[in-house]
Amino acid sequence: MEIQEMKTVIFFIVMTSAATEDVKKNLTCTDGGSITLPDPVVESGFLLHGVLNIAMVNKRESQILEERFRYRLHWDSNTGLFTFTRLQTGDSGIYTIDSKRRGDSTSYRLTVYAAPRPGVNRSRVSADSCTLVCFVEKAHETTLYWIKGEEILNQTSTGPSLPLTVDKQDFSSSYRCVAANPAADEKTLPVNAKTFCSEENNTDKPSENNRQFGTLLIAIVVILIVIAIIIIIGIYFERQKRKRDRRSQDSVAGKREVVYTDSIADERNGQGRKLTTVYDKLEVH
């Protein structure tokens, strides 16, 4: 039988058998982690994700059928076990292993949780106490803890944040904000209460550097506005001066007369000398 035909037959057989199989075990993992499915496929068989055939084994040779698992799903020819690496939250679901050697199939429910990354903010400061808030951005089924020394003070498994009020006399104690998911993955953030609660780190008030920067920015904006106004006024008066000069030149050109003596005729007759002066009128254009 050709491999392609075998894949089709196996696919429909598994679809039928997987529909009647119950989930044998719940598996959990953290985003970016790895997990190995417990049941082996030694000689021949396949692996389903829901109803999608993602891998098959035939005559001790494996083939990854789903592109998104091509470099993240591995089959060990010695043990026959499938291993997922670099898991993502979207990989969660039911996986079914069918081994033709055993003649049965087994299903597992895999849940991939986001890695918990805790943070700490300060919400309130008074003369006698300080309130710190432990939080996590991706809070799906995440448990938050406040630990003082080695003692767990309180915890929550429902909300995305957990407040803690620290008295002034306890500022020197060591605290930790801890976030954990059901895959037993924990992340811890040490907290120095004295530093967080000091007036110098009061996030409710702008820092001196911020105030100085704001003042400098305002001064720069004002200077730029004044320079722009001066330039606009200068351009305006320059244009007005050019218009006045142009009108003055046109007025003078229309009225100016140039008079000069063109020639003098000397005529002599019997009665004496007669001078004749000729004037020409010129206009400048």
Side-chain angles (χ1 to χ4, degrees):
M1 181 182 292
E2 296 293 334
I3 292 179
Q4 186 62 37
E5 294 176 352
M6 180 180 178
K7 286 165 54 178
T8 304
V9 172
I10 290 176
F11 178 79
F12 285 106
I13 293 175
V14 173
M15 288 281 291
T16 304
S17 61
T20 60
E21 288 292 328
D22 295 329
V23 174
K24 182 178 181 179
K25 186 179 180 180
N26 290 323
L27 304 175
T28 60
C29 187
T30 300
D31 188 9
S34 303
I35 197 168
T36 299
L37 300 181
D39 282 3
V41 177
V42 180
E43 295 288 343
S44 61
F46 62 94
L47 174 63
L48 279 178
H49 180 206
V51 296
L52 181 64
N53 190 12
I54 63 174
M56 66 173 294
V57 177
N58 183 37
K59 296 180 181 180
R60 289 186 173 273
E61 291 186 0
S62 65
Q63 183 180 3
I64 307 304
L65 305 176
E66 184 64 21
E67 184 63 29
R68 72 187 183 97
F69 289 109
R70 185 168 300 278
Y71 302 104
R72 300 189 296 120
L73 177 59
H74 309 278
W75 178 76
D76 190 325
S77 59
N78 295 320
T79 63
L81 298 177
F82 283 102
T83 299
F84 290 93
T85 61
R86 304 194 306 275
L87 281 166
Q88 305 167 3
T89 54
D91 295 332
S92 298
I94 296 177
Y95 291 84
T96 302
I97 296 175
D98 189 295
S99 176
K100 293 308 167 184
R101 184 175 182 179
R102 298 194 316 267
D104 61 359
S105 61
T106 306
S107 296
Y108 297 89
R109 185 186 303 276
L110 174 63
T111 304
V112 182
Y113 294 95
R117 302 185 185 280
V120 173
N121 283 333
R122 185 188 63 183
S123 65
R124 185 180 62 85
V125 177
S126 67
D128 301 322
S129 65
C130 174
T131 300
L132 303 175
V133 180
C134 175
F135 68 92
V136 64
E137 294 183 358
K138 298 178 181 180
H140 178 62
E141 298 189 46
T142 299
T143 301
L144 298 176
Y145 300 89
W146 270 115
I147 298 179
K148 177 184 178 183
E150 300 300 325
E151 175 190 3
I152 298 178
L153 300 179
N154 51 20
Q155 69 183 63
T156 181
S157 58
T158 56
S161 62
L162 180 63
L164 173 69
T165 300
V166 181
D167 295 330
K168 190 172 184 179
Q169 60 268 22
D170 294 327
F171 280 5
S172 58
S173 301
S174 61
Y175 293 88
R176 285 176 291 161
C177 164
V178 181
N181 62 21
D185 185 16
E186 287 189 353
K187 292 293 186 297
T188 301
L189 179 64
V191 178
N192 188 323
K194 188 174 182 179
T195 301
F196 265 85
C197 297
S198 64
E199 288 300 325
E200 288 77 9
N201 291 326
N202 190 346
T203 56
D204 299 330
K205 298 179 181 179
S207 65
E208 183 64 27
N209 290 336
N210 290 338
R211 288 196 297 270
Q212 292 178 356
F213 178 76
T215 302
L216 178 61
L217 184 61
I218 292 174
I220 292 174
V221 171
V222 171
I223 292 173
L224 292 177
I225 292 175
V226 171
I227 292 175
I229 292 175
I230 292 174
I231 292 174
I232 293 173
I233 292 175
I235 293 173
Y236 173 78
F237 280 107
E238 180 65 23
R239 290 181 176 177
Q240 293 299 317
K241 181 176 179 300
R242 290 180 180 179
K243 289 181 179 179
R244 288 196 301 270
D245 291 345
R246 190 179 299 113
R247 287 196 297 267
S248 177
Q249 291 175 0
D250 293 343
S251 176
V252 171
K255 296 179 179 180
R256 183 183 302 171
E257 293 183 356
V258 178
V259 180
Y260 67 96
T261 301
D262 181 56
S263 63
I264 298 176
D266 186 4
E267 298 181 358
R268 296 178 181 273
N269 52 31
Q271 297 178 353
R273 180 186 300 174
K274 181 179 179 181
L275 297 177
T276 302
T277 304
V278 179
Y279 297 93
D280 283 340
K281 180 179 177 182
L282 301 178
E283 292 186 357
V284 178
H285 295 282

